[in-house]
Amino acid sequence: MFYRTCLQAAAALASISLLAGCSLFSDEDAEREQKISVGTTSEPTTLDPAAAWDGSWELMRNVFQTLVSFPSGSTVPKPDAAKSCRFTDTGNKLYECELKPGLTFSNGDKLDAAAVKYSIDRIQKIDVQGGPNGLLGSLDKTEAVGDRIVKFSLKTPDATFPFILATPAMSLVPPKEYPSDKLREDGGLTGSGPYVLDSYDKGKKAELVENTKYEGFAKRKNKAVTIRYFGESDVMVDALKKKQIDAIYRGLTAEEVVNFQSQKPDYDGLQLVETVGADIRYLVFNAKDPMAGKLAVRRAIAQVVDRGALVGKVYQGTAEPLYSMVPKGIATHTTGFFDRFGEPDVAKARETLKDAGITKPVSLTFWYSSDRYGSSATPEFAEIKRQLDASGLFKITVKGLPEKDFKKGYKAGEYAVFGRGWFPDFPDPDNFVAPFVGPKNVLSIPYESPEITDQLLPASRRESDRGAVTEQFERAQEILVDDVLLLPLWQGKLYVASTEEIGGGELALDPQTVMQMWELYRKASW
């Protein structure tokens, strides 16, 4: 009789709040409601923020805290560990933050001004090649004043400094657990973010549980998250179909996106959230290589590559051709490469090579990461090879390596040409130019451009009004086109795929395209 009464009550939704003594969910169901399992092909390359200027930020954003951050929907930094932050001078050279009172790391250690100074100082001291110290070129010194005041003195004016502090690279760490002069090597991770890393099985999964000591802007909509790392996107999608995971946030191929959009029968019960993306893909040329170092060779490649065919064949409408390192949707975007080279033209490319005394096909090896950007990377480079080989001007070999091994090669300057992707640190044109130029850049291959590094960037960083930097960045883009050391290919869209039970996907990607796991939740059901 009791069982029948509970069923009748459950059917009467209008009076469900009046039910007493009727358990519609078991304890196991209730616990499951609070946990989310997310799949990705973006595995961290490091667990230490002092070495991270890559996809490792995906994990770090959820476990560490920064002084300022990007709350959902915001494109300007807002206080996180800080109570407030501001420039204290009119020249954008003195920046000060006041911490919230009583902050602690997840291990109970104090998160005070001394810990903030320690965290920033160690990034500069360790200075990992191709690491986040490249973001701190304008920082002269960091001072702790008492327990709660942190002062940053900059060498030059830099209106983008608050944006830099908002990156996961500037994650705050407890001094007792992170050596001041080397990276942490015990496989541990301790922060003050929304979650605690409960366990980490490299290449397989990361288990996150709520950090009960967290005090910041994030409002967790779940209690725990399992991040599962996949080597192949088709295996990941199959896991979603079988409800072995609840969502996917990085690594879908174009074909899979199309399948989600067309709602094929075996995609029933799944959903896809699309977001405007600022992530880009580009080729990098090593100026020290005997062939890639020749301007004529680079310009001939730029003249032959057919971006429209590339995105049409490989990405099926999930990406669009890109003709500048500053993508569409970011202020000051231009179409410099199209303006200079126009439509693909083999005859013009041949003439360019001939004028430089190059009459035989140029042999080059193009390298790429086979697992960092999903399964589409392999057909993408196959298509680039096809285009260049078909011109008769090039003989291209393509080689893919897992990200960990691939990264070692390009950091050592071993590749003549290689492909990379860029997920923005922050939504400002500075972040699509500055990281790639200068002696210490994210690519680990020096790119000397004095006009950009010594004139254009400093001038733009004196402007607090980021809408007033058009002249500087349009000129910077002209220089990038002249040099062709970087060849933009396409910019993509961002997708979060999930079962219909999961909500929050539309808010889960921040302006840095980093997944905010706390936004995901399991919809209530009866």
Side-chain angles (χ1 to χ4, degrees), residues 406-423:
F406 171 81
K407 195 171 183 179
K408 290 178 182 177
Y410 84 71
K411 282 193 170 186
E414 296 174 357
Y415 307 148
V417 186
F418 59 95
R420 287 307 278 165
W422 183 247
F423 303 98

Side-chain angles (χ1 to χ4, degrees), residues 502-514:
I502 302 300
E506 68 282 356
L507 296 174
L509 291 168
D510 76 357
Q512 299 155 309
T513 72
V514 174

Side-chain angles (χ1 to χ4, degrees), residues 43-87:
E43 179 189 353
T45 61
T46 178
L47 296 182
D48 193 323
W53 200 358
D54 60 11
S56 303
W57 285 9
E58 310 276 21
L59 177 61
M60 292 177 184
R61 170 57 76 207
N62 293 278
V63 180
F64 288 108
Q65 199 173 16
T66 46
L67 285 171
V68 291
S69 191
F70 292 101
S72 298
S74 173
T75 57
V76 294
K78 302 291 185 182
D80 190 359
K83 178 181 178 181
S84 63
C85 290
R86 64 188 180 93
F87 280 105

Side-chain angles (χ1 to χ4, degrees), residues 328-525:
K328 185 184 296 185
I330 298 295
T332 77
H333 164 74
T334 68
T335 55
F337 276 89
F338 184 83
D339 299 339
R340 175 70 59 86
F341 297 100
E343 297 291 347
D345 192 319
V346 173
K348 287 183 179 179
R350 181 179 293 108
E351 194 67 24
T352 297
L353 293 172
K354 183 180 178 182
D355 289 346
I358 302 172
T359 57
K360 295 181 179 180
V362 177
S363 295
L364 285 169
T365 298
F366 284 37
W367 296 80
Y368 68 94
S369 172
S370 59
D371 58 0
R372 172 69 179 92
Y373 305 110
S375 303
S376 295
T378 297
E380 175 179 346
F381 275 80
E383 172 60 17
I384 294 172
K385 169 182 166 59
R386 185 198 67 77
Q387 292 180 12
L388 295 175
D389 286 352
S391 72
L393 304 177
F394 300 95
K395 290 183 179 179
I396 305 299
T397 300
V398 295
K399 292 186 178 180
L401 290 174
E403 174 71 7
K404 183 178 179 181
D405 299 323
F406 171 81
K407 195 171 183 179
K408 290 178 182 177
Y410 84 71
K411 282 193 170 186
E414 296 174 357
Y415 307 148
V417 186
F418 59 95
R420 287 307 278 165
W422 183 247
F423 303 98
D425 302 321
F426 49 86
D428 187 278
D430 186 283
N431 194 234
F432 292 90
V433 175
F436 306 104
V437 295
K440 292 183 179 180
N441 61 53
V442 70
L443 301 170
S444 302
I445 297 178
Y447 180 177
E448 300 296 340
S449 181
E451 185 178 352
I452 293 179
T453 56
D454 300 343
Q455 299 177 39
L456 299 175
L457 290 176
S460 71
R461 289 171 176 173
R462 287 193 286 270
E463 291 287 352
S464 296
D465 178 5
R466 302 310 292 162
V469 296
T470 300
E471 181 179 347
Q472 291 92 342
F473 284 106
E474 285 184 348
R475 174 57 187 152
Q477 289 170 86
E478 288 178 0
I479 295 171
L480 296 180
V481 173
D482 288 341
D483 295 341
V484 202
L485 285 169
L486 304 166
L487 183 63
L489 297 173
W490 56 268
Q491 73 178 90
K493 301 173 183 177
L494 300 174
Y495 300 93
V496 175
S498 69
T499 65
E500 291 180 340
E501 299 173 353
I502 302 300
E506 68 282 356
L507 296 174
L509 291 168
D510 76 357
Q512 299 155 309
T513 72
V514 174
M515 190 71 160
Q516 301 180 143
M517 299 294 181
W518 58 84
E519 293 287 359
L520 298 178
Y521 62 92
R522 197 177 301 280
K523 298 174 184 177
S525 60

Side-chain angles (χ1 to χ4, degrees), residues 271-305:
Q271 60 184 347
L272 188 72
V273 173
E274 177 181 311
T275 305
V276 175
D279 60 313
I280 66 174
R281 298 292 186 277
Y282 56 96
L283 294 178
V284 183
F285 296 92
N286 189 340
K288 295 183 178 180
D289 182 80
M291 293 309 297
K294 296 182 177 181
L295 180 59
V297 170
R298 302 196 299 271
R299 286 182 173 172
I301 291 173
Q303 188 71 71
V304 171
V305 168

Side-chain angles (χ1 to χ4, degrees), residues 49 63-68 80-82 99 103 105 111-112 115-117 119-120 152 165 167-175 178 190-193:
V63 180
F64 288 108
Q65 199 173 16
T66 46
L67 285 171
V68 291
D80 190 359
L99 290 171
L103 293 178
F105 291 98
L111 198 175
D112 56 12
V116 174
K117 172 178 166 56
S119 300
I120 304 300
F152 300 95
L165 288 180
T167 68
M170 304 301 136
S171 295
L172 307 178
V173 300
Y178 287 82
T190 311
S192 59

